[in-house]
Amino acid sequence: MDHTLQNAIPMEIWYLIPLAILVAVIKSPWFKGKAGESVVNLTARFSLDRTRYHLIKNVTLPTDDGTTQIDHIIVSRYGVFVVETKNMKGWIFGSAKQRYWTQKIFKYSQKFQNPLHQNYKHVKTLQSLLGLTDEQVFSVVVFVGDSTFKTPMPENVTHGGGYLRFIRAQTEERLSDVEVRAVVENVESGRLVASSRNHRKHVAHVKDILANKKSEPRCPKCKGEMVKRTVKRGVNAGSEFLGCKAFPRCRGTVDASLLQ
Protein backbone atom coordinates (compact mmCIF):
# COMPACT_ATOMS: atom_id res chain seq x y z
CA MET A 1 0.00 0.00 0.00
CA ASP A 2 1.18 3.56 -0.70
CA HIS A 3 2.60 4.78 2.63
CA THR A 4 1.81 8.37 1.64
CA LEU A 5 -1.90 7.44 1.30
CA GLN A 6 -1.81 5.42 4.52
CA ASN A 7 -0.32 8.33 6.46
CA ALA A 8 -2.85 10.76 4.94
CA ILE A 9 -5.81 8.85 6.38
CA PRO A 10 -6.36 9.22 10.15
CA MET A 11 -5.90 6.04 12.16
CA GLU A 12 -9.52 6.28 13.38
CA ILE A 13 -10.73 5.85 9.79
CA TRP A 14 -8.77 2.62 9.36
CA TYR A 15 -10.51 1.21 12.41
CA LEU A 16 -13.90 2.07 10.91
CA ILE A 17 -13.31 0.21 7.64
CA PRO A 18 -13.79 -3.32 9.11
CA LEU A 19 -16.89 -2.06 10.94
CA ALA A 20 -18.34 -0.66 7.71
CA ILE A 21 -17.72 -3.98 5.96
CA LEU A 22 -19.42 -5.87 8.82
CA VAL A 23 -22.47 -3.56 8.70
CA ALA A 24 -22.73 -4.04 4.92
CA VAL A 25 -22.66 -7.84 5.33
CA ILE A 26 -25.30 -7.75 8.09
CA LYS A 27 -27.63 -5.65 5.92
CA SER A 28 -27.18 -7.86 2.85
CA PRO A 29 -30.06 -10.12 1.66
CA TRP A 30 -27.70 -13.12 1.95
CA PHE A 31 -27.07 -12.51 5.65
CA LYS A 32 -30.74 -11.83 6.37
CA GLY A 33 -31.67 -15.08 4.66
CA LYS A 34 -29.09 -17.06 6.62
CA ALA A 35 -30.15 -15.40 9.89
CA GLY A 36 -33.78 -16.32 9.26
CA GLU A 37 -32.85 -19.91 8.47
CA SER A 38 -30.79 -20.08 11.68
CA VAL A 39 -33.77 -18.94 13.75
CA VAL A 40 -35.96 -21.70 12.30
CA ASN A 41 -33.16 -24.24 12.65
CA LEU A 42 -32.65 -23.48 16.35
CA THR A 43 -36.35 -23.37 17.25
CA ALA A 44 -36.99 -26.65 15.43
CA ARG A 45 -34.06 -28.38 17.15
CA PHE A 46 -35.00 -27.24 20.64
CA SER A 47 -38.81 -27.27 20.38
CA LEU A 48 -39.58 -30.46 18.44
CA ASP A 49 -39.04 -33.94 19.88
CA ARG A 50 -35.99 -35.30 18.05
CA THR A 51 -37.25 -38.86 18.41
CA ARG A 52 -40.34 -37.98 16.35
CA TYR A 53 -39.22 -35.11 14.12
CA HIS A 54 -36.09 -35.30 11.96
CA LEU A 55 -34.68 -31.96 10.74
CA ILE A 56 -32.71 -31.74 7.49
CA LYS A 57 -31.52 -28.24 6.58
CA ASN A 58 -30.23 -26.48 3.47
CA VAL A 59 -31.05 -29.19 0.92
CA THR A 60 -30.19 -28.60 -2.75
CA LEU A 61 -31.85 -31.02 -5.16
CA PRO A 62 -31.36 -31.43 -8.91
CA THR A 63 -34.30 -30.57 -11.18
CA ASP A 64 -34.96 -30.88 -14.93
CA ASP A 65 -33.97 -27.23 -15.47
CA GLY A 66 -31.21 -26.86 -12.86
CA THR A 67 -31.47 -27.04 -9.08
CA THR A 68 -33.79 -26.03 -6.26
CA GLN A 69 -32.77 -25.20 -2.69
CA ILE A 70 -34.97 -26.06 0.31
CA ASP A 71 -34.35 -24.25 3.60
CA HIS A 72 -35.62 -27.01 5.92
CA ILE A 73 -37.25 -30.42 5.64
CA ILE A 74 -38.85 -31.86 8.77
CA VAL A 75 -39.71 -35.56 8.53
CA SER A 76 -42.12 -37.30 10.91
CA ARG A 77 -44.82 -39.96 11.05
CA TYR A 78 -47.29 -37.08 10.64
CA GLY A 79 -45.89 -36.03 7.28
CA VAL A 80 -42.98 -34.31 5.60
CA PHE A 81 -42.89 -30.55 6.15
CA VAL A 82 -41.13 -28.42 3.53
CA VAL A 83 -40.27 -25.13 5.23
CA GLU A 84 -39.53 -21.89 3.36
CA THR A 85 -38.12 -19.01 5.46
CA LYS A 86 -38.60 -15.28 4.84
CA ASN A 87 -36.67 -12.75 6.94
CA MET A 88 -38.57 -9.52 6.26
CA LYS A 89 -39.82 -6.44 8.07
CA GLY A 90 -42.76 -4.11 7.57
CA TRP A 91 -46.34 -4.87 6.60
CA ILE A 92 -46.99 -7.96 4.46
CA PHE A 93 -50.01 -8.14 2.14
CA GLY A 94 -50.99 -11.25 0.17
CA SER A 95 -53.26 -14.23 -0.36
CA ALA A 96 -52.80 -17.86 -1.32
CA LYS A 97 -53.65 -17.36 -5.01
CA GLN A 98 -51.85 -14.09 -5.70
CA ARG A 99 -48.66 -14.49 -7.73
CA TYR A 100 -46.98 -11.58 -5.99
CA TRP A 101 -47.25 -10.28 -2.45
CA THR A 102 -46.42 -6.78 -1.21
CA GLN A 103 -44.02 -5.61 1.48
CA LYS A 104 -44.68 -2.08 2.75
CA ILE A 105 -42.30 -0.11 4.99
CA PHE A 106 -43.70 3.37 5.65
CA LYS A 107 -44.16 4.90 2.15
CA TYR A 108 -41.91 2.35 0.44
CA SER A 109 -43.47 -0.80 -1.03
CA GLN A 110 -42.21 -3.61 -3.23
CA LYS A 111 -43.57 -6.79 -4.79
CA PHE A 112 -42.09 -10.21 -4.08
CA GLN A 113 -42.97 -13.70 -5.27
CA ASN A 114 -45.71 -15.46 -3.33
CA PRO A 115 -43.63 -17.77 -1.09
CA LEU A 116 -46.30 -20.49 -1.36
CA HIS A 117 -45.74 -20.54 -5.14
CA GLN A 118 -42.00 -20.55 -4.55
CA ASN A 119 -42.31 -23.49 -2.16
CA TYR A 120 -44.57 -25.38 -4.59
CA LYS A 121 -41.57 -26.30 -6.73
CA HIS A 122 -39.72 -27.51 -3.63
CA VAL A 123 -42.67 -29.69 -2.64
CA LYS A 124 -43.09 -31.21 -6.10
CA THR A 125 -39.37 -31.89 -6.48
CA LEU A 126 -39.34 -33.66 -3.13
CA GLN A 127 -42.47 -35.65 -3.95
CA SER A 128 -40.87 -36.80 -7.19
CA LEU A 129 -37.73 -37.89 -5.35
CA LEU A 130 -39.58 -39.70 -2.56
CA GLY A 131 -42.73 -40.93 -4.30
CA LEU A 132 -45.03 -39.27 -1.74
CA THR A 133 -48.61 -38.04 -2.17
CA ASP A 134 -50.04 -34.55 -1.61
CA GLU A 135 -51.50 -35.78 1.68
CA GLN A 136 -48.05 -36.75 2.97
CA VAL A 137 -46.19 -33.50 2.22
CA PHE A 138 -46.95 -30.07 3.73
CA SER A 139 -45.78 -26.70 2.46
CA VAL A 140 -44.95 -24.34 5.33
CA VAL A 141 -43.85 -20.69 5.10
CA VAL A 142 -42.25 -18.95 8.09
CA PHE A 143 -41.76 -15.18 8.33
CA VAL A 144 -39.17 -14.08 10.88
CA GLY A 145 -38.08 -10.56 11.73
CA ASP A 146 -40.14 -7.45 12.44
CA SER A 147 -42.97 -8.08 10.00
CA THR A 148 -46.76 -8.01 10.41
CA PHE A 149 -49.42 -9.68 8.28
CA LYS A 150 -51.98 -7.09 7.19
CA THR A 151 -54.21 -9.55 5.30
CA PRO A 152 -55.58 -12.94 6.41
CA MET A 153 -53.05 -15.69 5.69
CA PRO A 154 -53.50 -19.45 5.10
CA GLU A 155 -52.81 -21.56 8.19
CA ASN A 156 -49.53 -22.83 6.72
CA VAL A 157 -48.15 -19.27 6.41
CA THR A 158 -46.92 -18.35 9.86
CA HIS A 159 -44.85 -15.83 11.78
CA GLY A 160 -42.11 -16.79 14.23
CA GLY A 161 -42.88 -19.96 16.17
CA GLY A 162 -46.33 -20.31 14.58
CA TYR A 163 -44.94 -22.92 12.21
CA LEU A 164 -44.31 -25.20 15.22
CA ARG A 165 -47.98 -25.04 16.16
CA PHE A 166 -48.95 -25.88 12.58
CA ILE A 167 -46.64 -28.90 12.55
CA ARG A 168 -47.79 -30.16 15.96
CA ALA A 169 -51.43 -29.77 14.87
CA GLN A 170 -50.91 -32.56 12.31
CA THR A 171 -51.64 -35.66 14.40
CA GLU A 172 -52.76 -38.17 11.77
CA GLU A 173 -50.02 -40.71 11.05
CA ARG A 174 -49.17 -40.62 7.35
CA LEU A 175 -45.85 -42.50 7.37
CA SER A 176 -44.64 -45.59 9.22
CA ASP A 177 -41.36 -45.57 11.15
CA VAL A 178 -39.79 -47.55 8.31
CA GLU A 179 -41.02 -44.99 5.76
CA VAL A 180 -39.71 -42.11 7.89
CA ARG A 181 -36.23 -43.65 7.92
CA ALA A 182 -36.43 -44.25 4.16
CA VAL A 183 -37.41 -40.63 3.52
CA VAL A 184 -34.48 -39.32 5.57
CA GLU A 185 -32.05 -41.67 3.81
CA ASN A 186 -33.38 -40.81 0.34
CA VAL A 187 -33.16 -37.06 0.98
CA GLU A 188 -29.59 -37.41 2.23
CA SER A 189 -28.58 -39.58 -0.72
CA GLY A 190 -30.46 -37.50 -3.32
CA ARG A 191 -29.22 -34.06 -2.26
CA LEU A 192 -26.29 -32.41 -3.95
CA VAL A 193 -23.07 -32.17 -1.97
CA ALA A 194 -22.90 -28.89 -0.04
CA SER A 195 -19.91 -27.51 -1.96
CA SER A 196 -19.04 -24.01 -3.14
CA ARG A 197 -19.27 -25.23 -6.74
CA ASN A 198 -22.84 -26.49 -6.36
CA HIS A 199 -23.79 -23.33 -4.46
CA ARG A 200 -22.45 -21.16 -7.30
CA LYS A 201 -24.39 -23.21 -9.86
CA HIS A 202 -27.61 -22.81 -7.88
CA VAL A 203 -27.07 -19.05 -7.45
CA ALA A 204 -26.42 -18.71 -11.19
CA HIS A 205 -29.61 -20.67 -11.94
CA VAL A 206 -31.66 -18.39 -9.67
CA LYS A 207 -30.13 -15.28 -11.27
CA ASP A 208 -31.09 -16.56 -14.73
CA ILE A 209 -34.68 -17.06 -13.58
CA LEU A 210 -34.84 -13.56 -12.10
CA ALA A 211 -33.29 -12.02 -15.23
CA ASN A 212 -35.91 -13.73 -17.41
CA LYS A 213 -38.71 -12.49 -15.17
CA LYS A 214 -37.37 -8.91 -15.24
CA SER A 215 -37.32 -8.96 -19.04
CA GLU A 216 -41.01 -9.87 -19.19
CA PRO A 217 -43.46 -6.93 -19.62
CA ARG A 218 -45.33 -6.07 -16.41
CA CYS A 219 -48.85 -4.71 -16.00
CA PRO A 220 -48.70 -0.88 -16.12
CA LYS A 221 -51.41 -0.67 -13.44
CA CYS A 222 -50.67 -3.34 -10.81
CA LYS A 223 -47.16 -4.49 -11.89
CA GLY A 224 -48.48 -8.05 -12.08
CA GLU A 225 -47.86 -10.76 -14.68
CA MET A 226 -49.09 -10.30 -18.23
CA VAL A 227 -50.50 -12.99 -20.52
CA LYS A 228 -51.04 -13.12 -24.29
CA ARG A 229 -54.66 -12.45 -25.31
CA THR A 230 -56.55 -12.07 -28.57
CA VAL A 231 -59.07 -9.35 -29.43
CA LYS A 232 -62.45 -11.05 -29.81
CA ARG A 233 -64.56 -8.35 -31.45
CA GLY A 234 -64.33 -5.10 -33.39
CA VAL A 235 -62.06 -3.87 -36.12
CA ASN A 236 -59.00 -5.34 -34.35
CA ALA A 237 -60.51 -8.81 -33.92
CA GLY A 238 -57.83 -11.51 -34.17
CA SER A 239 -54.94 -9.24 -33.21
CA GLU A 240 -52.90 -10.08 -30.11
CA PHE A 241 -52.05 -8.00 -27.06
CA LEU A 242 -50.79 -8.48 -23.51
CA GLY A 243 -53.43 -8.27 -20.79
CA CYS A 244 -53.10 -8.42 -17.03
CA LYS A 245 -53.41 -11.94 -15.63
CA ALA A 246 -55.61 -10.50 -12.86
CA PHE A 247 -58.36 -9.56 -15.35
CA PRO A 248 -61.16 -8.61 -14.74
CA ARG A 249 -60.00 -7.21 -11.38
CA CYS A 250 -57.25 -5.36 -13.24
CA ARG A 251 -57.65 -4.27 -16.87
CA GLY A 252 -54.09 -3.21 -17.63
CA THR A 253 -52.83 -3.87 -21.17
CA VAL A 254 -49.52 -3.55 -23.01
CA ASP A 255 -49.02 -2.70 -26.66
CA ALA A 256 -48.82 -5.71 -28.99
CA SER A 257 -45.46 -4.55 -30.32
CA LEU A 258 -43.85 -5.85 -27.11
CA LEU A 259 -44.75 -9.36 -28.21
CA GLN A 260 -42.01 -9.27 -30.82
Side-chain angles (χ1 to χ4, degrees):
M1 178 182 293
D2 188 337
H3 291 289
T4 302
L5 176 61
Q6 187 175 17
N7 293 332
I9 301 177
M11 186 61 67
E12 292 81 359
I13 300 298
W14 288 110
Y15 287 133
L16 290 176
I17 292 176
L19 180 60
I21 294 174
L22 177 61
V23 170
V25 170
I26 291 175
K27 289 185 176 181
S28 69
W30 172 85
F31 183 87
K32 291 179 180 179
K34 291 300 180 183
E37 291 173 21
S38 296
V39 169
V40 173
N41 179 46
L42 289 173
T43 55
R45 286 195 179 280
F46 288 105
S47 301
L48 293 175
D49 184 350
R50 295 187 185 185
T51 64
R52 294 191 296 162
Y53 298 93
H54 305 272
L55 173 65
I56 312 172
K57 61 179 183 177
N58 193 23
V59 177
T60 301
L61 297 174
T63 62
D64 292 338
D65 59 351
T67 59
T68 192
Q69 192 269 328
I70 304 174
D71 293 338
H72 298 89
I73 300 172
I74 299 174
V75 186
S76 73
R77 296 197 305 270
Y78 314 107
V80 177
F81 302 89
V82 182
V83 183
E84 172 69 18
T85 307
K86 291 294 180 185
N87 189 354
M88 305 180 74
K89 61 181 179 179
W91 290 352
I92 306 298
F93 300 82
S95 66
K97 294 184 178 180
Q98 284 181 311
R99 184 174 180 81
Y100 293 95
W101 290 6
T102 302
Q103 176 193 31
K104 186 174 180 62
I105 304 174
F106 299 109
K107 293 183 178 180
Y108 170 79
S109 64
Q110 70 170 358
K111 300 282 186 180
F112 63 99
Q113 184 182 6
N114 180 339
L116 287 172
H117 292 185
Q118 182 180 357
N119 213 27
Y120 179 81
K121 182 175 182 179
H122 300 160
V123 168
K124 290 304 176 184
T125 300
L126 200 61
Q127 283 183 286
S128 178
L129 172 67
L130 304 174
L132 298 178
T133 67
D134 290 343
E135 290 72 29
Q136 293 173 308
V137 183
F138 295 88
S139 174
V140 184
V141 176
V142 185
F143 280 79
V144 299
D146 188 19
S147 59
T148 303
F149 297 145
K150 300 302 287 186
T151 49
M153 292 290 175
E155 62 176 354
N156 60 330
V157 178
T158 68
H159 191 278
Y163 82 99
L164 296 170
R165 291 189 292 273
F166 175 82
I167 290 175
R168 293 193 184 107
Q170 314 309 317
T171 57
E172 178 185 344
E173 294 197 3
R174 295 174 170 85
L175 296 169
S176 67
D177 288 335
V178 172
E179 289 172 322
V180 167
R181 288 194 295 271
V183 166
V184 173
E185 291 172 0
N186 287 336
V187 170
E188 293 290 4
S189 62
R191 71 191 302 181
L192 296 178
V193 176
S195 65
S196 58
R197 179 173 179 272
N198 283 330
H199 176 69
R200 288 195 302 271
K201 288 175 64 177
H202 175 68
V203 170
H205 176 59
V206 172
K207 286 182 177 179
D208 287 342
I209 293 174
L210 293 176
N212 290 334
K213 287 185 178 295
K214 286 183 179 179
S215 66
E216 296 174 355
R218 310 301 301 177
C219 175
K221 292 187 176 181
C222 71
K223 306 303 180 184
E225 184 181 2
M226 306 293 281
V227 294
K228 186 185 295 185
R229 300 188 188 279
T230 303
V231 178
K232 303 293 185 182
R233 297 184 295 273
V235 294
N236 294 320
S239 61
E240 294 182 328
F241 67 100
L242 291 178
C244 184
K245 192 173 183 180
F247 179 87
R249 187 175 70 253
C250 177
R251 296 176 180 270
T253 61
V254 172
D255 191 270
S257 62
L258 291 178
L259 290 169
Q260 305 302 322

